Amino acid sequence: MSMSPADARYHLARIVGLIRRGLASLRTRGWRTTLQRVGVRLRRQPPPRRAPLYAPAAAAFAPFAVPSSAEPLASIVIPVYNHAAHTLACLRALAAHPPAAACEILVVDDGSSDETGGWMARIDGLRYHRRAENGGFIAACNDGLRLARGQYVVLLNNDTVPQPGWLDALLDTFVQIPQTGLVGAQLLYPDGRLQESGGVVFDDGSCWSYGRFESPEDPRYASLRDADYCSGAALAIPRALLARFGGLDARYAPAYYEDTDLAFKVRAAGHRVLVQPASRVVHDEGTSNGTDTGSGVKAWQVRNQQVFADAWRTALARQLPAGSVPGPALLHRGQRQVLIIDEAVPRPDRDSASLRQFNLIRMLLAGGAHVVFLPTRGEHGGGATHALQALGVEVWHAPWLDGVGAWLRTHGQRFQVVLLVRHHVASQCLPLLRRHAPQARTVFDTVDLHYLRERRGAELGGDPRLARSAERTRASELAVMAATDVTLLVSAAEKAQLAVDAPGVRVELLSNLHEVAGQGLDWAQRQGLVFVGGFNHPPNLDAMQWFIGEVFPLIRQRLPGIGFHCIGADVPDSLRALAATQPGVQVHGYVPDVVPWMAGGRVAVAPLRFGAGVKGKINLSMAHGQPVVATSCAAEGMHLRDGEDVLVADGAAAFADAVVRLHDDEALWRRLSGNGLDNIARHFSMDAARDVVTRVFLD
């Protein structure tokens, strides 16, 4: 396909932007860091493969034990009829990788005539029930329901090999999404191809196994998603809910469509039916009943389609018409579809902008939207991508994302709102959106006013080249604001600045988004000073060079035993070398969980000498009841009162005095701690932002 003018403009703007940001990085970060950043941006990596599929070794039967509990959270019900070797492989997989959740395993034998009875009796921990006569799959499952003791019943075919973590992923879904009434696993063929990531039901009652023969890592199938039904080969449901329905419906005996009927009953009862791709189960489809619908038990599939269609005729009128080809646009047609375009997926454990974006996504999902994330670099973000997929976000990446323009050409028409994050991303993508998604409301998220931050950095360093670069950034940001429908700002101070610089722009305030974590440890139990911030952000590096080099020695003179914990990713060697000269300074670098430092450190410091926007490091500390000493720049636009919510100090001596005072004054510490928590709830919580999010994205 030939390149359109919009595509050409996108690629040209991206190249020019990379050159400009590279030159700016050389001036502020040096050549080593800049070279490393360029390498990361230019490197195209295939998505990391998930762990290889586990398969138990084929071996002669010998006694072994399976997980068991007298008080199980989940009861795994495995109906069997002959095929003892498959049952053995399934049980061996459960034994090799026992779930973390307490469970029991019930094998319900529907009158097998092979080795099943003899083998099952010799497996320790297994609950084995033999039916008096063969009644079929539904009868065996309902026997298992009557025998189950767990809070959840998990139906599992005997011709499956559950993969490590499968059960815990299913059960965690009920905790993550309380409205869940039924959740199914992603089913795979033994060769690793996708068998089904949830099922689609058409208006005539026929069904489609979504994703069959595709890659399970394809973005269309890899995220948590509402499904029309989930196969009874591997699904979980609250036992009380299944009992309320009387088990699986005997109208579909001996088998087929009972799982589809169950899913429709769950939805009719006000619950959600979800497919959980984090739960992987290999299914040797057709082992029990074959695949020929013209004869044998499989023939009941054709008959039961009509039974199902007659029972759910009203509900089926809302389904896709038979003959449709399901895809994301159609499957989410009843939802408001929101596209987020940024360079890479957010990493909320690394920077405050990512945490804000991650929590915004959570709010959009809670508001009923379907969220799609498009990283312009095309990279799979590893755990960060999986975290979004676990929420239900459709995250695209290479090799399925083959260029932003090509992707928008295919998908652009389905979105009502597009969020563009950062001015250089927005300026590159706007021409493509005008061409391929003209119907969408465009929202520009500044994250902070980059030109304001760059201008202040240039003034602090007295660098005219940085000042000129800041003016170019200003022109780019203002042009994007003029070209988009809404601009998101993070502080009232920035809104006031824009009232002067761009009075005609429609702006909305959406500040940092935090959950109020609570008080943490009490004053007497807390120790030391804490700073949290990533060092790819120039204001953070300057802040630590100043604090460690000039401020902390003054503090140590008055508090000789005090320690300072510097936490944040991408620490340069120069900062580590400086820290090594100062007793009491510990540079931890990246830590996966900062909560112990927020809840256990006595005082947080925010010694920023330039910057813009709202400082997530201050929000994070306050959300954990940790008082803060900040510079005027760091406290700007955060609704903070000096001496009530925060201590504000500028200059090395004044900053050191404030830290010592807050560290030693228990009454002052308690006042700031309590008021800081109130500040987060009033101004930076998700409840505080709900009206803006609804107005901008959901109305």
PDB file of all heavy atoms in Angstrom, residues 584-607:
ATOM      1  N   GLY A 584      25.695   8.526  55.310  1.00  0.00           N
ATOM      2  CA  GLY A 584      24.263   8.490  55.583  1.00  0.00           C
ATOM      3  C   GLY A 584      23.386   8.448  54.356  1.00  0.00           C
ATOM      4  O   GLY A 584      22.177   8.231  54.465  1.00  0.00           O
ATOM      5  N   VAL A 585      23.967   8.651  53.161  1.00  0.00           N
ATOM      6  CA  VAL A 585      23.175   8.641  51.930  1.00  0.00           C
ATOM      7  C   VAL A 585      23.171   7.241  51.338  1.00  0.00           C
ATOM      8  O   VAL A 585      24.231   6.646  51.121  1.00  0.00           O
ATOM      9  CB  VAL A 585      23.724   9.642  50.900  1.00  0.00           C
ATOM     10  CG1 VAL A 585      22.941   9.538  49.587  1.00  0.00           C
ATOM     11  CG2 VAL A 585      23.655  11.063  51.440  1.00  0.00           C
ATOM     12  N   GLN A 586      21.983   6.732  51.072  1.00  0.00           N
ATOM     13  CA  GLN A 586      21.847   5.443  50.393  1.00  0.00           C
ATOM     14  C   GLN A 586      21.076   5.648  49.087  1.00  0.00           C
ATOM     15  O   GLN A 586      19.933   6.106  49.111  1.00  0.00           O
ATOM     16  CB  GLN A 586      21.099   4.434  51.258  1.00  0.00           C
ATOM     17  CG  GLN A 586      21.824   4.031  52.528  1.00  0.00           C
ATOM     18  CD  GLN A 586      21.082   2.938  53.282  1.00  0.00           C
ATOM     19  OE1 GLN A 586      20.784   1.877  52.726  1.00  0.00           O
ATOM     20  NE2 GLN A 586      20.768   3.195  54.536  1.00  0.00           N
ATOM     21  N   VAL A 587      21.706   5.320  47.973  1.00  0.00           N
ATOM     22  CA  VAL A 587      21.057   5.412  46.671  1.00  0.00           C
ATOM     23  C   VAL A 587      20.570   4.015  46.304  1.00  0.00           C
ATOM     24  O   VAL A 587      21.364   3.125  46.024  1.00  0.00           O
ATOM     25  CB  VAL A 587      22.019   5.960  45.600  1.00  0.00           C
ATOM     26  CG1 VAL A 587      21.339   5.966  44.236  1.00  0.00           C
ATOM     27  CG2 VAL A 587      22.483   7.365  45.976  1.00  0.00           C
ATOM     28  N   HIS A 588      19.247   3.835  46.311  1.00  0.00           N
ATOM     29  CA  HIS A 588      18.667   2.509  46.094  1.00  0.00           C
ATOM     30  C   HIS A 588      18.380   2.230  44.625  1.00  0.00           C
ATOM     31  O   HIS A 588      18.218   1.075  44.248  1.00  0.00           O
ATOM     32  CB  HIS A 588      17.368   2.371  46.887  1.00  0.00           C
ATOM     33  CG  HIS A 588      17.541   2.494  48.364  1.00  0.00           C
ATOM     34  ND1 HIS A 588      17.902   1.444  49.169  1.00  0.00           N
ATOM     35  CD2 HIS A 588      17.426   3.565  49.188  1.00  0.00           C
ATOM     36  CE1 HIS A 588      17.977   1.837  50.421  1.00  0.00           C
ATOM     37  NE2 HIS A 588      17.696   3.136  50.468  1.00  0.00           N
ATOM     38  N   GLY A 589      18.281   3.279  43.804  1.00  0.00           N
ATOM     39  CA  GLY A 589      17.859   3.064  42.426  1.00  0.00           C
ATOM     40  C   GLY A 589      16.402   2.658  42.363  1.00  0.00           C
ATOM     41  O   GLY A 589      15.600   3.023  43.227  1.00  0.00           O
ATOM     42  N   TYR A 590      16.057   1.894  41.337  1.00  0.00           N
ATOM     43  CA  TYR A 590      14.670   1.458  41.192  1.00  0.00           C
ATOM     44  C   TYR A 590      14.330   0.411  42.236  1.00  0.00           C
ATOM     45  O   TYR A 590      15.092  -0.533  42.474  1.00  0.00           O
ATOM     46  CB  TYR A 590      14.446   0.868  39.798  1.00  0.00           C
ATOM     47  CG  TYR A 590      13.141   0.116  39.661  1.00  0.00           C
ATOM     48  CD1 TYR A 590      11.946   0.809  39.546  1.00  0.00           C
ATOM     49  CD2 TYR A 590      13.114  -1.281  39.673  1.00  0.00           C
ATOM     50  CE1 TYR A 590      10.744   0.125  39.427  1.00  0.00           C
ATOM     51  CE2 TYR A 590      11.916  -1.970  39.559  1.00  0.00           C
ATOM     52  CZ  TYR A 590      10.732  -1.253  39.438  1.00  0.00           C
ATOM     53  OH  TYR A 590       9.555  -1.944  39.332  1.00  0.00           O
ATOM     54  N   VAL A 591      13.167   0.573  42.886  1.00  0.00           N
ATOM     55  CA  VAL A 591      12.627  -0.460  43.768  1.00  0.00           C
ATOM     56  C   VAL A 591      11.200  -0.747  43.306  1.00  0.00           C
ATOM     57  O   VAL A 591      10.455   0.174  42.956  1.00  0.00           O
ATOM     58  CB  VAL A 591      12.652  -0.039  45.255  1.00  0.00           C
ATOM     59  CG1 VAL A 591      14.070   0.165  45.737  1.00  0.00           C
ATOM     60  CG2 VAL A 591      11.835   1.220  45.488  1.00  0.00           C
ATOM     61  N   PRO A 592      10.808  -2.008  43.263  1.00  0.00           N
ATOM     62  CA  PRO A 592       9.487  -2.344  42.723  1.00  0.00           C
ATOM     63  C   PRO A 592       8.330  -1.875  43.586  1.00  0.00           C
ATOM     64  O   PRO A 592       7.217  -1.693  43.089  1.00  0.00           O
ATOM     65  CB  PRO A 592       9.526  -3.875  42.618  1.00  0.00           C
ATOM     66  CG  PRO A 592      10.585  -4.300  43.578  1.00  0.00           C
ATOM     67  CD  PRO A 592      11.595  -3.204  43.601  1.00  0.00           C
ATOM     68  N   ASP A 593       8.568  -1.667  44.878  1.00  0.00           N
ATOM     69  CA  ASP A 593       7.488  -1.263  45.782  1.00  0.00           C
ATOM     70  C   ASP A 593       8.020  -0.185  46.717  1.00  0.00           C
ATOM     71  O   ASP A 593       8.852  -0.450  47.584  1.00  0.00           O
ATOM     72  CB  ASP A 593       6.994  -2.468  46.583  1.00  0.00           C
ATOM     73  CG  ASP A 593       5.831  -2.125  47.506  1.00  0.00           C
ATOM     74  OD1 ASP A 593       5.274  -1.015  47.381  1.00  0.00           O
ATOM     75  OD2 ASP A 593       5.471  -2.963  48.350  1.00  0.00           O
ATOM     76  N   VAL A 594       7.546   1.047  46.540  1.00  0.00           N
ATOM     77  CA  VAL A 594       8.031   2.161  47.364  1.00  0.00           C
ATOM     78  C   VAL A 594       7.225   2.339  48.640  1.00  0.00           C
ATOM     79  O   VAL A 594       7.573   3.182  49.475  1.00  0.00           O
ATOM     80  CB  VAL A 594       8.027   3.485  46.571  1.00  0.00           C
ATOM     81  CG1 VAL A 594       8.926   3.393  45.364  1.00  0.00           C
ATOM     82  CG2 VAL A 594       6.606   3.888  46.172  1.00  0.00           C
ATOM     83  N   VAL A 595       6.145   1.563  48.805  1.00  0.00           N
ATOM     84  CA  VAL A 595       5.270   1.762  49.964  1.00  0.00           C
ATOM     85  C   VAL A 595       6.021   1.669  51.296  1.00  0.00           C
ATOM     86  O   VAL A 595       5.796   2.497  52.184  1.00  0.00           O
ATOM     87  CB  VAL A 595       4.085   0.775  49.920  1.00  0.00           C
ATOM     88  CG1 VAL A 595       3.313   0.792  51.243  1.00  0.00           C
ATOM     89  CG2 VAL A 595       3.156   1.118  48.771  1.00  0.00           C
ATOM     90  N   PRO A 596       6.932   0.697  51.509  1.00  0.00           N
ATOM     91  CA  PRO A 596       7.638   0.669  52.792  1.00  0.00           C
ATOM     92  C   PRO A 596       8.388   1.960  53.093  1.00  0.00           C
ATOM     93  O   PRO A 596       8.490   2.368  54.260  1.00  0.00           O
ATOM     94  CB  PRO A 596       8.600  -0.521  52.637  1.00  0.00           C
ATOM     95  CG  PRO A 596       7.941  -1.411  51.630  1.00  0.00           C
ATOM     96  CD  PRO A 596       7.287  -0.471  50.666  1.00  0.00           C
ATOM     97  N   TRP A 597       8.911   2.621  52.065  1.00  0.00           N
ATOM     98  CA  TRP A 597       9.642   3.874  52.271  1.00  0.00           C
ATOM     99  C   TRP A 597       8.678   5.015  52.537  1.00  0.00           C
ATOM    100  O   TRP A 597       8.990   5.923  53.322  1.00  0.00           O
ATOM    101  CB  TRP A 597      10.502   4.180  51.048  1.00  0.00           C
ATOM    102  CG  TRP A 597      11.355   3.025  50.649  1.00  0.00           C
ATOM    103  CD1 TRP A 597      11.124   2.143  49.637  1.00  0.00           C
ATOM    104  CD2 TRP A 597      12.561   2.586  51.268  1.00  0.00           C
ATOM    105  NE1 TRP A 597      12.104   1.198  49.581  1.00  0.00           N
ATOM    106  CE2 TRP A 597      12.999   1.443  50.572  1.00  0.00           C
ATOM    107  CE3 TRP A 597      13.318   3.054  52.344  1.00  0.00           C
ATOM    108  CZ2 TRP A 597      14.154   0.761  50.905  1.00  0.00           C
ATOM    109  CZ3 TRP A 597      14.466   2.379  52.686  1.00  0.00           C
ATOM    110  CH2 TRP A 597      14.876   1.241  51.972  1.00  0.00           C
ATOM    111  N   MET A 598       7.511   4.990  51.892  1.00  0.00           N
ATOM    112  CA  MET A 598       6.513   6.033  52.136  1.00  0.00           C
ATOM    113  C   MET A 598       5.888   5.877  53.525  1.00  0.00           C
ATOM    114  O   MET A 598       5.634   6.853  54.219  1.00  0.00           O
ATOM    115  CB  MET A 598       5.399   5.961  51.088  1.00  0.00           C
ATOM    116  CG  MET A 598       5.838   6.144  49.640  1.00  0.00           C
ATOM    117  SD  MET A 598       6.432   7.805  49.265  1.00  0.00           S
ATOM    118  CE  MET A 598       8.206   7.563  49.445  1.00  0.00           C
ATOM    119  N   ALA A 599       5.636   4.652  53.914  1.00  0.00           N
ATOM    120  CA  ALA A 599       4.963   4.393  55.181  1.00  0.00           C
ATOM    121  C   ALA A 599       5.920   4.356  56.366  1.00  0.00           C
ATOM    122  O   ALA A 599       5.477   4.409  57.515  1.00  0.00           O
ATOM    123  CB  ALA A 599       4.208   3.060  55.104  1.00  0.00           C
ATOM    124  N   GLY A 600       7.249   4.276  56.086  1.00  0.00           N
ATOM    125  CA  GLY A 600       8.205   4.125  57.182  1.00  0.00           C
ATOM    126  C   GLY A 600       9.199   5.255  57.336  1.00  0.00           C
ATOM    127  O   GLY A 600       9.832   5.386  58.384  1.00  0.00           O
ATOM    128  N   GLY A 601       9.373   6.095  56.288  1.00  0.00           N
ATOM    129  CA  GLY A 601      10.271   7.232  56.402  1.00  0.00           C
ATOM    130  C   GLY A 601       9.588   8.382  57.128  1.00  0.00           C
ATOM    131  O   GLY A 601       8.398   8.627  56.933  1.00  0.00           O
ATOM    132  N   ARG A 602      10.343   9.133  57.923  1.00  0.00           N
ATOM    133  CA  ARG A 602       9.697  10.184  58.714  1.00  0.00           C
ATOM    134  C   ARG A 602       9.393  11.427  57.884  1.00  0.00           C
ATOM    135  O   ARG A 602       8.335  12.026  58.031  1.00  0.00           O
ATOM    136  CB  ARG A 602      10.565  10.564  59.920  1.00  0.00           C
ATOM    137  CG  ARG A 602       9.878  11.577  60.836  1.00  0.00           C
ATOM    138  CD  ARG A 602      10.651  11.844  62.105  1.00  0.00           C
ATOM    139  NE  ARG A 602      10.640  10.689  63.007  1.00  0.00           N
ATOM    140  CZ  ARG A 602      11.161  10.703  64.236  1.00  0.00           C
ATOM    141  NH1 ARG A 602      11.760  11.799  64.685  1.00  0.00           N
ATOM    142  NH2 ARG A 602      11.109   9.637  64.989  1.00  0.00           N
ATOM    143  N   VAL A 603      10.311  11.832  57.030  1.00  0.00           N
ATOM    144  CA  VAL A 603      10.141  13.073  56.273  1.00  0.00           C
ATOM    145  C   VAL A 603      10.515  12.818  54.811  1.00  0.00           C
ATOM    146  O   VAL A 603      11.547  12.205  54.528  1.00  0.00           O
ATOM    147  CB  VAL A 603      11.006  14.214  56.843  1.00  0.00           C
ATOM    148  CG1 VAL A 603      10.896  15.464  55.968  1.00  0.00           C
ATOM    149  CG2 VAL A 603      10.597  14.532  58.274  1.00  0.00           C
ATOM    150  N   ALA A 604       9.679  13.305  53.896  1.00  0.00           N
ATOM    151  CA  ALA A 604      10.002  13.281  52.472  1.00  0.00           C
ATOM    152  C   ALA A 604      10.521  14.648  52.058  1.00  0.00           C
ATOM    153  O   ALA A 604      10.078  15.681  52.579  1.00  0.00           O
ATOM    154  CB  ALA A 604       8.768  12.927  51.653  1.00  0.00           C
ATOM    155  N   VAL A 605      11.470  14.659  51.128  1.00  0.00           N
ATOM    156  CA  VAL A 605      12.011  15.921  50.639  1.00  0.00           C
ATOM    157  C   VAL A 605      11.725  16.039  49.148  1.00  0.00           C
ATOM    158  O   VAL A 605      11.785  15.059  48.403  1.00  0.00           O
ATOM    159  CB  VAL A 605      13.524  16.045  50.911  1.00  0.00           C
ATOM    160  CG1 VAL A 605      13.786  16.064  52.407  1.00  0.00           C
ATOM    161  CG2 VAL A 605      14.312  14.922  50.240  1.00  0.00           C
ATOM    162  N   ALA A 606      11.387  17.269  48.719  1.00  0.00           N
ATOM    163  CA  ALA A 606      11.147  17.572  47.307  1.00  0.00           C
ATOM    164  C   ALA A 606      11.925  18.843  46.971  1.00  0.00           C
ATOM    165  O   ALA A 606      11.351  19.927  46.845  1.00  0.00           O
ATOM    166  CB  ALA A 606       9.667  17.754  47.047  1.00  0.00           C
ATOM    167  N   PRO A 607      13.249  18.705  46.812  1.00  0.00           N
ATOM    168  CA  PRO A 607      14.100  19.894  46.637  1.00  0.00           C
ATOM    169  C   PRO A 607      14.265  20.322  45.177  1.00  0.00           C
ATOM    170  O   PRO A 607      15.375  20.600  44.710  1.00  0.00           O
ATOM    171  CB  PRO A 607      15.427  19.418  47.230  1.00  0.00           C
ATOM    172  CG  PRO A 607      15.474  17.954  46.947  1.00  0.00           C
ATOM    173  CD  PRO A 607      14.047  17.475  46.962  1.00  0.00           C
TER     174      PRO A 607
END
